Amino acid sequence: DGGITQSPKYLFRKEGQNVTLSCEQNLNHDAMYWYRQDPGQGLRLIYYSQIVNDFQKGDIAEGYSVSREKKESFPLTVTSAQKNPTAFYLCASSVRVSGTEAFFGQGTRLTVV
Amino acid sequence: EDQVTQSPEALRLQEGESSSLNCSYTVSGLRGLFWYRQDPGKGPEFLFTLYSAGEEKEKERLKATLTKKESFLHITAPKPEDSATYLCAVHNAGGTSYGKLTFGQGTILTVHP
């Protein structure tokens, strides 16, 4: 089945640690996105990528980093510089960066302990 | 800056009571308006794409419409299983916002039997 796979579903991090969230898609989509969702707030864009080896900062990129070495993969690293990392993280992809619908994975819930 | 505002924030309906959700947007170059449904703890599920004013899309009890400034999601004779958060998003093709997918805060719909 085609789709977007995020792993792990739940992740616990100690303060001061970096963690990497995985996002893989087999839809052959060029564009990929990372969003953060907090209770009572909408989805906020962290990073997006239009093509392999290219990515742009979204609205809340501070404390996060990404890479796009393969078309299928767009991992997100939450660094120790992110002051409030506890949130629900969503990865999405679309055929191209403009004008086409995005499809989402099932999310990773990150908790700092 | 792109803006998407959804209203109301929450809507409670009785089963069979039809209503509408609103999505108002400000974007320099609209390349698509998207509706999603999100269940608690899950990723958003794609519903509709609208591209131009006057366009309408239907799926079961849902109908989405688009004008130059807003979109409506009409729900006809809703059932309890329609309870979810409905999200609206816009794709911008203009300037520094090219490629960004911007979401509204969502409307939480609860349908009582």
Side-chain angles (χ1 to χ4, degrees), chain A residues 28-106:
Chain A
N28 199 33
H29 286 173
D30 282 329
M32 296 188 75
Y33 311 81
W34 274 106
Y35 288 88
R36 170 181 172 140
Q37 188 173 37
D38 296 284
Q41 297 196 35
L43 276 70
R44 292 183 290 168
L45 182 64
I46 305 173
Y47 270 97
Y48 65 107
S49 170
Q50 302 182 36
I51 200 168
V52 174
N53 292 324
D54 180 69
F55 48 83
Q56 286 79 40
K57 293 182 179 179
D59 299 316
I60 56 165
E62 184 175 352
Y64 299 97
S65 66
V66 294
S67 63
R68 186 89 186 274
E69 297 176 359
K70 297 187 300 181
K71 188 175 185 177
E72 302 79 21
S73 180
F74 192 40
L76 174 74
T77 296
V78 184
T79 75
S80 57
Q82 171 48 235
K83 299 303 180 187
N84 184 22
T86 295
F88 189 48
Y89 290 87
L90 288 160
C91 178
S93 72
S94 60
V95 171
R96 55 185 182 275
V97 75
S98 179
T100 60
E101 55 270 13
F103 296 92
F104 284 82
Q106 288 303 296

Side-chain angles (χ1 to χ4, degrees), chain B residues 6 25 62 70 103 105 109 111:
Chain B
Q6 293 187 244
Y25 63 91
L62 300 177
E70 58 190 351
F103 281 81
Q105 303 283 75
L109 174 66
V111 182

